[in-house]
Amino acid sequence: MKIKDLVKYWDKHARGRLAKDAYFLQLSDQHHSRLEKLAALYPMKSSQDLIRDLVSAALDELETSFPYEQGSKVVAFDEDGFEIYEDKGLTPRFVSLSQKHIQRLKARQLESVA
């Protein structure tokens, strides 16, 4: 499945509870083999590092792949004077939820230090 297809799939099938902070996963034999090959190419990176980097890259790519949905509110004008409308799609919601999650993580970190 392509990363850009995940959004449509998740919209249809991925409703449910939130996951815990730590994630454990089992890879298919094919993906495990590919990860091992990648680890052989980059011996200074652990498999965990490679997985983390792949997930990070996938999440970054996913965020930029959300389709733009034009809203009714003009939020700016481009250099030619044309109106730029707000995005009512998933991007602003994703960014807002990301910021809330980061604030929660920071608060938890401060609590653990105190």
Side-chain angles (χ1 to χ4, degrees), residues 102-112:
I102 288 170
Q103 289 172 353
R104 239 187 0 251
L105 288 174
K106 287 181 180 178
R108 220 184 312 164
Q109 288 174 343
L110 288 175
E111 289 172 2
S112 66

Side-chain angles (χ1 to χ4, degrees), residues 28-45:
S28 68
D29 290 342
Q30 178 186 13
H31 289 128
H32 182 266
S33 173
R34 291 165 84 181
L35 181 62
E36 292 300 314
K37 290 174 190 175
L38 194 57
L41 289 173
Y42 299 98
M44 299 295 288
K45 288 280 222 180

Side-chain angles (χ1 to χ4, degrees), residues 68-78 82-88 92:
Y68 168 76
E69 292 181 31
Q70 180 176 317
S72 57
K73 182 179 176 185
V74 175
V75 294
F77 294 91
D78 68 11
F82 293 105
E83 298 169 332
I84 299 173
Y85 291 89
E86 69 181 329
D87 184 352
K88 286 180 50 178

